[in-house]
PDB file of all heavy atoms in Angstrom:
ATOM      1  N   GLY D  16     -17.395   7.110  18.692  1.00 97.00           N
ATOM      2  CA  GLY D  16     -17.488   6.405  19.971  1.00 97.00           C
ATOM      3  C   GLY D  16     -17.880   4.950  19.843  1.00 97.00           C
ATOM      4  O   GLY D  16     -17.756   4.185  20.808  1.00 97.00           O
ATOM      5  N   GLN D  17     -18.341   4.554  18.676  1.00 97.00           N
ATOM      6  CA  GLN D  17     -18.734   3.155  18.482  1.00 97.00           C
ATOM      7  C   GLN D  17     -17.513   2.296  18.154  1.00 97.00           C
ATOM      8  O   GLN D  17     -16.491   2.779  17.656  1.00 97.00           O
ATOM      9  CB  GLN D  17     -19.757   3.037  17.342  1.00 97.00           C
ATOM     10  CG  GLN D  17     -21.077   3.729  17.629  1.00 97.00           C
ATOM     11  CD  GLN D  17     -21.795   3.113  18.799  1.00 97.00           C
ATOM     12  OE1 GLN D  17     -22.063   1.916  18.812  1.00 97.00           O
ATOM     13  NE2 GLN D  17     -22.111   3.912  19.799  1.00 97.00           N
ATOM     14  N   GLU D  18     -17.658   1.016  18.397  1.00 97.00           N
ATOM     15  CA  GLU D  18     -16.611   0.052  18.041  1.00 97.00           C
ATOM     16  C   GLU D  18     -16.872  -0.467  16.630  1.00 97.00           C
ATOM     17  O   GLU D  18     -18.018  -0.678  16.233  1.00 97.00           O
ATOM     18  CB  GLU D  18     -16.650  -1.116  19.028  1.00 97.00           C
ATOM     19  CG  GLU D  18     -15.711  -2.254  18.688  1.00 97.00           C
ATOM     20  CD  GLU D  18     -15.862  -3.417  19.641  1.00 97.00           C
ATOM     21  OE1 GLU D  18     -15.403  -3.306  20.797  1.00 97.00           O
ATOM     22  OE2 GLU D  18     -16.443  -4.456  19.219  1.00 97.00           O
ATOM     23  N   VAL D  19     -15.795  -0.630  15.869  1.00 98.00           N
ATOM     24  CA  VAL D  19     -15.923  -1.255  14.556  1.00 98.00           C
ATOM     25  C   VAL D  19     -14.905  -2.377  14.425  1.00 98.00           C
ATOM     26  O   VAL D  19     -13.832  -2.329  15.028  1.00 98.00           O
ATOM     27  CB  VAL D  19     -15.726  -0.254  13.390  1.00 98.00           C
ATOM     28  CG1 VAL D  19     -16.828   0.764  13.356  1.00 98.00           C
ATOM     29  CG2 VAL D  19     -14.369   0.402  13.448  1.00 98.00           C
ATOM     30  N   ILE D  20     -15.278  -3.368  13.655  1.00 97.00           N
ATOM     31  CA  ILE D  20     -14.360  -4.463  13.335  1.00 97.00           C
ATOM     32  C   ILE D  20     -14.282  -4.575  11.818  1.00 97.00           C
ATOM     33  O   ILE D  20     -15.309  -4.758  11.151  1.00 97.00           O
ATOM     34  CB  ILE D  20     -14.824  -5.798  13.936  1.00 97.00           C
ATOM     35  CG1 ILE D  20     -14.831  -5.708  15.463  1.00 97.00           C
ATOM     36  CG2 ILE D  20     -13.906  -6.928  13.484  1.00 97.00           C
ATOM     37  CD1 ILE D  20     -15.365  -6.952  16.150  1.00 97.00           C
ATOM     38  N   LEU D  21     -13.089  -4.430  11.316  1.00 97.00           N
ATOM     39  CA  LEU D  21     -12.847  -4.583   9.880  1.00 97.00           C
ATOM     40  C   LEU D  21     -12.255  -5.974   9.653  1.00 97.00           C
ATOM     41  O   LEU D  21     -11.336  -6.383  10.359  1.00 97.00           O
ATOM     42  CB  LEU D  21     -11.881  -3.506   9.373  1.00 97.00           C
ATOM     43  CG  LEU D  21     -12.232  -2.072   9.759  1.00 97.00           C
ATOM     44  CD1 LEU D  21     -11.237  -1.104   9.126  1.00 97.00           C
ATOM     45  CD2 LEU D  21     -13.643  -1.725   9.382  1.00 97.00           C
ATOM     46  N   ARG D  22     -12.789  -6.644   8.649  1.00 97.00           N
ATOM     47  CA  ARG D  22     -12.411  -8.039   8.456  1.00 97.00           C
ATOM     48  C   ARG D  22     -11.606  -8.243   7.187  1.00 97.00           C
ATOM     49  O   ARG D  22     -11.832  -7.579   6.175  1.00 97.00           O
ATOM     50  CB  ARG D  22     -13.666  -8.909   8.421  1.00 97.00           C
ATOM     51  CG  ARG D  22     -14.462  -8.820   9.687  1.00 97.00           C
ATOM     52  CD  ARG D  22     -15.719  -9.671   9.679  1.00 97.00           C
ATOM     53  NE  ARG D  22     -16.577  -9.309  10.805  1.00 97.00           N
ATOM     54  CZ  ARG D  22     -16.383  -9.699  12.065  1.00 97.00           C
ATOM     55  NH1 ARG D  22     -15.380 -10.487  12.357  1.00 97.00           N
ATOM     56  NH2 ARG D  22     -17.202  -9.306  13.028  1.00 97.00           N
ATOM     57  N   CYS D  23     -10.718  -9.206   7.265  1.00 97.00           N
ATOM     58  CA  CYS D  23      -9.836  -9.516   6.146  1.00 97.00           C
ATOM     59  C   CYS D  23      -9.627 -11.024   6.111  1.00 97.00           C
ATOM     60  O   CYS D  23      -9.500 -11.669   7.156  1.00 97.00           O
ATOM     61  CB  CYS D  23      -8.506  -8.793   6.348  1.00 97.00           C
ATOM     62  SG  CYS D  23      -7.181  -9.261   5.222  1.00 97.00           S
ATOM     63  N   VAL D  24      -9.609 -11.548   4.894  1.00 97.00           N
ATOM     64  CA  VAL D  24      -9.204 -12.942   4.722  1.00 97.00           C
ATOM     65  C   VAL D  24      -7.946 -12.922   3.868  1.00 97.00           C
ATOM     66  O   VAL D  24      -8.006 -12.674   2.656  1.00 97.00           O
ATOM     67  CB  VAL D  24     -10.299 -13.782   4.054  1.00 97.00           C
ATOM     68  CG1 VAL D  24      -9.817 -15.227   3.869  1.00 97.00           C
ATOM     69  CG2 VAL D  24     -11.571 -13.754   4.873  1.00 97.00           C
ATOM     70  N   PRO D  25      -6.778 -13.141   4.474  1.00 96.00           N
ATOM     71  CA  PRO D  25      -5.529 -13.139   3.697  1.00 96.00           C
ATOM     72  C   PRO D  25      -5.456 -14.367   2.790  1.00 96.00           C
ATOM     73  O   PRO D  25      -6.264 -15.282   2.891  1.00 96.00           O
ATOM     74  CB  PRO D  25      -4.448 -13.210   4.787  1.00 96.00           C
ATOM     75  CG  PRO D  25      -5.135 -12.864   6.063  1.00 96.00           C
ATOM     76  CD  PRO D  25      -6.550 -13.314   5.901  1.00 96.00           C
ATOM     77  N   ILE D  26      -4.475 -14.363   1.925  1.00 94.00           N
ATOM     78  CA  ILE D  26      -4.234 -15.517   1.066  1.00 94.00           C
ATOM     79  C   ILE D  26      -3.809 -16.696   1.942  1.00 94.00           C
ATOM     80  O   ILE D  26      -3.014 -16.528   2.874  1.00 94.00           O
ATOM     81  CB  ILE D  26      -3.189 -15.180  -0.010  1.00 94.00           C
ATOM     82  CG1 ILE D  26      -3.766 -14.109  -0.938  1.00 94.00           C
ATOM     83  CG2 ILE D  26      -2.768 -16.413  -0.800  1.00 94.00           C
ATOM     84  CD1 ILE D  26      -2.812 -13.552  -1.953  1.00 94.00           C
ATOM     85  N   SER D  27      -4.317 -17.864   1.634  1.00 90.00           N
ATOM     86  CA  SER D  27      -4.301 -18.972   2.591  1.00 90.00           C
ATOM     87  C   SER D  27      -2.906 -19.443   2.998  1.00 90.00           C
ATOM     88  O   SER D  27      -2.706 -19.848   4.138  1.00 90.00           O
ATOM     89  CB  SER D  27      -5.101 -20.156   2.044  1.00 90.00           C
ATOM     90  OG  SER D  27      -4.510 -20.617   0.851  1.00 90.00           O
ATOM     91  N   ASN D  28      -1.913 -19.384   2.150  1.00 89.00           N
ATOM     92  CA  ASN D  28      -0.596 -19.882   2.553  1.00 89.00           C
ATOM     93  C   ASN D  28       0.355 -18.759   2.954  1.00 89.00           C
ATOM     94  O   ASN D  28       1.562 -18.964   3.070  1.00 89.00           O
ATOM     95  CB  ASN D  28       0.027 -20.725   1.432  1.00 89.00           C
ATOM     96  CG  ASN D  28       0.286 -19.919   0.172  1.00 89.00           C
ATOM     97  OD1 ASN D  28      -0.148 -18.773   0.057  1.00 89.00           O
ATOM     98  ND2 ASN D  28       0.991 -20.494  -0.777  1.00 89.00           N
ATOM     99  N   HIS D  29      -0.213 -17.573   3.196  1.00 92.00           N
ATOM    100  CA  HIS D  29       0.603 -16.451   3.635  1.00 92.00           C
ATOM    101  C   HIS D  29       0.729 -16.451   5.153  1.00 92.00           C
ATOM    102  O   HIS D  29      -0.177 -16.885   5.879  1.00 92.00           O
ATOM    103  CB  HIS D  29       0.006 -15.134   3.162  1.00 92.00           C
ATOM    104  CG  HIS D  29       0.239 -14.896   1.702  1.00 92.00           C
ATOM    105  ND1 HIS D  29      -0.075 -13.688   1.105  1.00 92.00           N
ATOM    106  CD2 HIS D  29       0.743 -15.683   0.721  1.00 92.00           C
ATOM    107  CE1 HIS D  29       0.246 -13.753  -0.174  1.00 92.00           C
ATOM    108  NE2 HIS D  29       0.733 -14.948  -0.436  1.00 92.00           N
ATOM    109  N   LEU D  30       1.882 -15.945   5.617  1.00 91.00           N
ATOM    110  CA  LEU D  30       2.189 -16.019   7.041  1.00 91.00           C
ATOM    111  C   LEU D  30       2.277 -14.653   7.719  1.00 91.00           C
ATOM    112  O   LEU D  30       2.259 -14.581   8.943  1.00 91.00           O
ATOM    113  CB  LEU D  30       3.532 -16.745   7.236  1.00 91.00           C
ATOM    114  CG  LEU D  30       3.615 -18.159   6.650  1.00 91.00           C
ATOM    115  CD1 LEU D  30       5.017 -18.725   6.833  1.00 91.00           C
ATOM    116  CD2 LEU D  30       2.585 -19.083   7.303  1.00 91.00           C
ATOM    117  N   TYR D  31       2.406 -13.597   6.923  1.00 93.00           N
ATOM    118  CA  TYR D  31       2.584 -12.249   7.471  1.00 93.00           C
ATOM    119  C   TYR D  31       1.398 -11.406   7.053  1.00 93.00           C
ATOM    120  O   TYR D  31       1.013 -11.389   5.879  1.00 93.00           O
ATOM    121  CB  TYR D  31       3.879 -11.619   6.941  1.00 93.00           C
ATOM    122  CG  TYR D  31       5.125 -12.320   7.415  1.00 93.00           C
ATOM    123  CD1 TYR D  31       5.544 -13.502   6.817  1.00 93.00           C
ATOM    124  CD2 TYR D  31       5.876 -11.809   8.465  1.00 93.00           C
ATOM    125  CE1 TYR D  31       6.684 -14.164   7.256  1.00 93.00           C
ATOM    126  CE2 TYR D  31       7.013 -12.454   8.907  1.00 93.00           C
ATOM    127  CZ  TYR D  31       7.406 -13.630   8.303  1.00 93.00           C
ATOM    128  OH  TYR D  31       8.529 -14.279   8.740  1.00 93.00           O
ATOM    129  N   PHE D  32       0.852 -10.671   8.004  1.00 95.00           N
ATOM    130  CA  PHE D  32      -0.365  -9.916   7.749  1.00 95.00           C
ATOM    131  C   PHE D  32      -0.186  -8.476   8.202  1.00 95.00           C
ATOM    132  O   PHE D  32       0.524  -8.207   9.179  1.00 95.00           O
ATOM    133  CB  PHE D  32      -1.556 -10.554   8.481  1.00 95.00           C
ATOM    134  CG  PHE D  32      -1.618 -12.044   8.315  1.00 95.00           C
ATOM    135  CD1 PHE D  32      -1.454 -12.883   9.398  1.00 95.00           C
ATOM    136  CD2 PHE D  32      -1.817 -12.609   7.059  1.00 95.00           C
ATOM    137  CE1 PHE D  32      -1.487 -14.259   9.240  1.00 95.00           C
ATOM    138  CE2 PHE D  32      -1.850 -13.985   6.905  1.00 95.00           C
ATOM    139  CZ  PHE D  32      -1.683 -14.810   7.998  1.00 95.00           C
ATOM    140  N   TYR D  33      -0.856  -7.567   7.492  1.00 95.00           N
ATOM    141  CA  TYR D  33      -0.634  -6.137   7.715  1.00 95.00           C
ATOM    142  C   TYR D  33      -1.942  -5.376   7.605  1.00 95.00           C
ATOM    143  O   TYR D  33      -2.852  -5.774   6.880  1.00 95.00           O
ATOM    144  CB  TYR D  33       0.320  -5.573   6.643  1.00 95.00           C
ATOM    145  CG  TYR D  33       1.641  -6.284   6.550  1.00 95.00           C
ATOM    146  CD1 TYR D  33       1.763  -7.481   5.847  1.00 95.00           C
ATOM    147  CD2 TYR D  33       2.780  -5.760   7.157  1.00 95.00           C
ATOM    148  CE1 TYR D  33       2.980  -8.144   5.761  1.00 95.00           C
ATOM    149  CE2 TYR D  33       4.005  -6.414   7.072  1.00 95.00           C
ATOM    150  CZ  TYR D  33       4.087  -7.600   6.370  1.00 95.00           C
ATOM    151  OH  TYR D  33       5.302  -8.254   6.279  1.00 95.00           O
TER     152      TYR D  33
END
Side-chain angles (χ1 to χ4, degrees):
Chain D
Q17 295 297 304
E18 174 184 286
V19 294
I20 297 176
L21 310 183
R22 300 180 192 282
C23 170
V24 179
I26 295 173
S27 62
N28 63 351
H29 285 188
L30 303 176
Y31 294 79
F32 314 115
Y33 304 81

